[in-house]
Amino acid sequence: MVVVEEKRSRPHPGIGGRHALVVGLGTTGVAVARYLRTQGASVRVSDPAKGAALPDDLTDVERRESSSPDDVLDGIDLVVPSPGVPASAPLLVRAEERGIPVVSEIELAAANLDAPMVAVTGTNGKSTTTELIAHLLEEQGSRTFAGGNLGTPLIEALRGSWDVAVVEVSSFQLEWVDAFRPRVGLLLNVTEDHLDRHGNLETYTAVKARLFARQEEDDVAVLNRDDPRVAALASGLAGAVVTFGSTPLEGDGAEPRGGAIHVSFRGRRSVFSLERCPLEGAHNRENVMAAILAAISMGASDAAVQAGLESFTPLPHRMQEVHTVHGVRFVDDSKATNVGALMRSLEGLEDGRVVLVAGGKDKGSDFDLARVIVGRKARCVALYGSARELIERSWEGAAPLVVREHFEDAVQAAADAAEPGDVVLLSPACASFDQFDNYAARGDAFATLVRMPR
């Protein structure tokens, strides 16, 4: 059984008059620095990458870069790290040793947020589920903030007035939470990902489970009963547990039957048709079930949920068809940055008719896990990037492999290998950061390449 891990208690500090250090100058760090200034804090910033520039409205903020953590921490009584800065970073380790509170952005934001919160975590499906929940609640008429790891930091919600905040939460963000308490928390699945940061699957699971650590009995925990690691958490949670999955439902939750989702929740029985829902595939069926349960937990009517399911627009770079030519479909699944996501995407495709493009920057993944399904689904695989030789060793003999250093050459090789009726699928199972700024840039490059005249 997985135990919900709690970090040692660290009282949430006030903001006004504090001497705060913001670590990291990405989107989140900049938003935090702005917020702290508006609340009367003295703000210092430090960027471990030392490459990010301060925006014009923060040029008067103190910036301190030093190889000595003590120099950077001198005079500081609050540290707010960006999600990309690991807990093992010397600066954060030294802050802990000195007893300086380290508070994540989502913790800081949630403590000052007036609206109830729905928080979504999991290895795969977080963004789609977050956006779908927000859409269903908007159909109900709620003023809904949607953000977090999805794009807009939760701290930005403090600038508006909302009925509910729907937040995507990553494992990186959960490393520094203590009092974070969502009204509804969702854990969609747990598969190998970010092991280069968390070390092993057990630690990664425990960090994910921290989402529920401060829930109380009037809160709701939405769990995937088909995922053994997720289902094992149910008996240790304080909130009311509702589950989704294809295995038989016991108690409150959701299950698929035919072309519909059947829901039982606190004596309420509902049926939602998927006939006009644009989200396809088994993995999206799970996302839909989870989103329905969250929306109902927040009071959405059956009519609003059904209307939202039919009017939702899927997010880009997630099994998105970007081109069709000579009977070959080109599908951008660049958001599939881990092995589990690749496997889930392949499940819905025809055996032997996939030409797969995979590779990029490894995150400590076990590519052997996908060997069987790659062998069944892929007629050819084009590998690229810094992880190409690692993946080649794992999949050699499972399917014909073409290995190229550069992304564009791998895409060209895949297009050349495709025959009418095939799907050329970009589902990398890796991060993009060896050759691209992010997964979206990689997906956009794929779409541009496959649309070029041949």
Side-chain angles (χ1 to χ4, degrees):
M1 176 179 175
V2 177
V3 177
V4 178
E5 179 187 344
E6 295 184 23
K7 293 189 76 69
R8 67 174 179 79
S9 179
R10 48 172 69 83
H12 189 279
I15 299 174
R18 307 294 294 202
H19 299 278
L21 171 68
V22 177
V23 185
L25 285 175
T27 302
T28 298
V30 168
V32 169
R34 288 190 177 120
Y35 174 74
L36 291 171
R37 283 188 59 183
T38 66
Q39 300 303 304
S42 171
V43 180
R44 177 184 299 164
V45 298
S46 181
D47 184 40
K50 300 181 181 178
L54 282 165
D56 291 343
D57 63 326
L58 292 177
T59 52
D60 59 337
V61 167
E62 180 191 1
R63 180 168 188 167
R64 187 173 297 188
E65 311 293 355
S66 173
S67 58
S68 168
D70 284 315
D71 182 42
V72 179
L73 293 167
D74 183 40
I76 294 297
D77 56 22
L78 169 65
V79 177
V80 185
S82 295
V85 182
S88 60
L91 189 59
L92 303 185
V93 172
R94 184 58 181 147
E96 286 264 89
E97 292 173 349
R98 291 178 52 169
I100 302 172
V102 180
V103 178
S104 71
E105 173 264 339
I106 59 169
E107 176 111 315
L108 186 69
N112 293 279
L113 185 68
D114 291 332
M117 189 168 43
V118 178
V120 182
T121 196
T123 306
N124 300 304
K126 297 187 295 297
S127 297
T128 294
T129 304
T130 299
E131 287 282 16
L132 180 56
I133 294 168
H135 183 69
L136 299 181
L137 293 175
E138 286 167 354
E139 286 284 346
Q140 179 71 17
S142 298
R143 296 169 300 169
T144 305
F145 172 87
N149 189 62
L150 179 65
T152 305
L154 179 58
I155 202 103
E156 296 282 13
L158 303 183
R159 302 171 60 183
S161 179
W162 311 98
D163 296 318
V164 60
V166 186
V167 190
E168 177 185 327
V169 182
S170 71
S171 61
F172 293 178
Q173 292 172 305
L174 288 168
E175 283 183 326
W176 292 104
V177 299
D178 179 58
F180 186 75
R181 178 192 169 192
R183 177 76 58 81
V184 180
L186 297 85
L187 180 50
L188 304 179
N189 45 66
V190 176
T191 60
E192 286 194 351
D193 197 17
H194 301 303
L195 300 191
D196 52 341
R197 176 150 165 174
H198 297 300
N200 56 61
L201 190 55
E202 289 70 28
T203 299
Y204 174 58
T205 303
V207 171
K208 288 288 191 187
R210 198 173 290 153
L211 185 79
F212 306 108
R214 295 301 184 190
Q215 282 196 314
E216 299 179 4
E217 61 181 14
D218 56 339
D219 300 321
V220 176
V222 180
L223 303 180
N224 183 346
R225 65 176 177 274
D226 292 346
D227 186 314
R229 294 184 183 88
V230 176
L233 296 171
S235 61
L237 303 184
V241 174
V242 297
T243 68
F244 63 91
S246 58
T247 53
L249 174 64
E250 296 180 4
D252 282 351
E255 62 181 340
R257 296 183 202 164
I261 301 298
H262 291 245
V263 174
S264 174
F265 183 75
R266 294 177 176 170
R268 173 178 170 181
R269 300 288 186 272
S270 307
V271 179
F272 301 99
S273 171
L274 298 180
E275 183 178 357
R276 298 175 62 184
C277 179
L279 294 169
E280 300 179 358
H283 62 298
N284 272 324
R285 185 173 59 197
E286 292 182 354
N287 297 337
V288 167
M289 287 190 286
I292 290 172
L293 289 172
I296 287 177
S297 297
M298 294 300 296
S301 68
D302 286 5
V305 170
Q306 185 65 59
L309 291 177
E310 295 177 5
S311 61
F312 181 68
T313 301
L315 297 175
H317 311 299
R318 297 157 177 85
M319 294 301 288
Q320 179 187 18
E321 186 170 325
V322 295
H323 191 52
T324 300
V325 63
H326 303 312
V328 177
R329 296 169 54 221
F330 292 85
V331 176
D332 169 15
D333 192 36
S334 184
K335 186 62 170 66
T337 60
N338 58 70
V339 173
L342 163 66
M343 294 171 67
R344 292 163 71 87
S345 297
L346 286 173
E347 283 171 358
L349 299 177
E350 185 179 351
D351 287 2
R353 299 312 304 265
V354 178
V355 180
L356 176 64
V357 180
K361 184 178 184 296
D362 177 38
K363 298 191 287 183
S365 300
D366 182 358
F367 295 101
D368 286 346
L369 295 172
R371 179 182 172 85
V372 172
I373 193 169
V374 167
R376 187 170 79 249
K377 298 289 183 179
R379 192 166 56 74
C380 178
V381 179
L383 301 174
Y384 87 96
S386 61
R388 64 189 184 278
E389 293 178 355
L390 176 62
I391 305 174
E392 181 184 18
R393 289 194 293 271
S394 290
W395 295 353
E396 189 173 12
L401 305 178
V402 178
V403 183
R404 300 287 187 268
E405 180 179 359
H406 299 292
F407 178 76
E408 56 268 28
D409 295 330
V411 173
Q412 182 65 59
D416 290 343
E419 299 177 355
D422 284 350
V423 174
V424 175
L425 173 68
L426 170 64
S427 194
C430 292
S432 58
F433 303 125
D434 59 340
Q435 297 185 21
F436 297 94
D437 289 339
N438 50 53
Y439 73 84
R442 176 171 59 189
D444 290 342
F446 176 75
T448 298
L449 289 167
V450 301
R451 290 168 180 159
M452 292 175 63
R454 302 184 185 281

